[in-house]
Amino acid sequence: MIVTIMSDASHCPKTRSSGYGVWCKSDRGSFQCGGNFKGWVKHSQEAEAKGLSIAVWAAFYNGVAEIGDHLIIQTDNLGNVNAFDKPNTLPNNHRAIEPLQWVKNIISENKCTYDIRHVKAHNPSLGKRNYINHVCDKLARKAMEDQRGY
């Protein structure tokens, strides 16, 4: 079965507060959620990678994805799209490497195939993918602002 997974993150470099937004859909159902990360996040690419790992995990946890599915994973962070299959594009100590590896482990453990795609951010009028990214962005921004306190 095809499962569409989209995530976005919002990060405040001043306070290191961050939040994520997730949207997942398959013929088994759909859901969306958002939240913030425990502790502080150093930079936006780390937040985006952590949001992606939560999104893929949540798709399985909520029964939208199952063993053997094909996952279409979408994010507006081009750096993580590029680093997903080529982690050597990031410095060895980059904080996005570990969450991206978690995603790959979840995919492998569940014997899934995947495509990872970039979606243009902040333009919901471009189509359904962009609108859903906007929904994720709003969830992420609210969670980040709640954590930040303003």
Side-chain angles (χ1 to χ4, degrees), residues 1-15:
M1 180 173 297
I2 295 174
V3 180
T4 303
I5 301 170
M6 189 168 298
S7 73
D8 196 13
S10 186
H11 175 72
C12 173
K14 181 178 178 184
T15 64

Side-chain angles (χ1 to χ4, degrees), residues 49-104:
K50 286 182 174 184
L52 202 59
S53 67
I54 289 169
V56 173
W57 172 84
F60 285 97
Y61 181 81
N62 288 289
V64 174
E66 292 183 1
I67 292 172
D69 284 344
H70 182 74
L71 311 179
I72 300 173
I73 303 166
Q74 301 180 75
T75 177
D76 62 8
N77 187 280
L78 191 55
N80 285 334
V81 170
N82 292 335
F84 197 77
D85 288 318
K86 298 175 187 166
N88 60 343
T89 61
L90 295 173
N92 287 338
N93 61 348
H94 199 287
R95 293 171 58 116
I97 292 173
E98 187 175 20
L100 292 177
Q101 188 58 52
W102 293 338
V103 174
K104 292 177 92 166

Side-chain angles (χ1 to χ4, degrees), residues 3 6 13 15 18 23 32 36 75 84-86 89 99 107-108 119 129 132 143:
V3 180
M6 189 168 298
T15 64
S18 294
W23 180 90
Q32 62 186 36
N36 50 42
T75 177
F84 197 77
D85 288 318
K86 298 175 187 166
T89 61
I107 292 168
S108 176
V119 61
R129 287 175 1 120
I132 298 300

